[in-house]
Amino acid sequence: MNLGILISGRGSNMDAILAAIEEGRLDASVPIVVSNRAGVAGLDRARARGVPTLVLAHREHPSREAFDEALVEALRRHDVDTVALAGFDRLLSPVLLSAFPGRVVNIHPALLPSFPGLHAQQQALDYGVRITGATVHLVDERMDHGPILAQAAVPVLDDDTEDTLAERILAEEHRIYPLALALLAHDEVRIEGRRVRGGVPTA
Ligand code: GAR
């Protein structure tokens, strides 16, 4: 699997994926990491692991579609066959999704379909759920939406803040993102409507 990773910031999920590859837990290579924002920490982390990086600023493109065309061109240039979103903060258009059908993956810090969008951890606290978690899913045209590959549950504690809850969820994100990508790398999943046969429920 030739994985292109799209980031916008810290890049800790990207780093977890790269670590899993280095440690032989994920059979993939990452020919390119693309960020839509310059100067973010994730770019330094990718370089530190010897992975080529590219900044493609969405602001320099006249439309979402034009930006996605530039992304597709860059990813194809690096022989990418699977795209992992790792904190990437732009909604993708059909231009990118149709270029990699069924091969665009995202991670979200909640048990989807609950709490899509920004500040998922604070949304969970505000709602008062006792269990939240992390979800890895295939991407469709809606935000934080699409067939679910893997989920992990995280209890909400009485004294949790957005930061403490986010930290515990993040540890689970780092654990399940490489697991979910390994399913794709080994062609172990079948999509039937919304359901994924062969996904991983991780307690
Ligand atoms: C992660 O918590 C990821 O789940 C979240 O952004 C963070 C990125 O952190 N993504 C979303 O909320 C998607 N809607 P990272 O840059 O350290 O991987």
Side-chain angles (χ1 to χ4, degrees), residues 112-123:
L112 292 173
S114 293
F115 315 129
L118 293 175
H119 298 291
Q121 305 91 340
Q122 187 63 50
Q123 290 186 57

Side-chain angles (χ1 to χ4, degrees), residues 9-14 86-87 106-109 117 121 144 170 173:
R10 177 177 59 177
S12 72
N13 276 291
M14 173 211 71
N106 182 42
I107 188 151
H108 183 71
Q121 305 91 340
D144 299 324
L170 196 62
E173 293 183 47

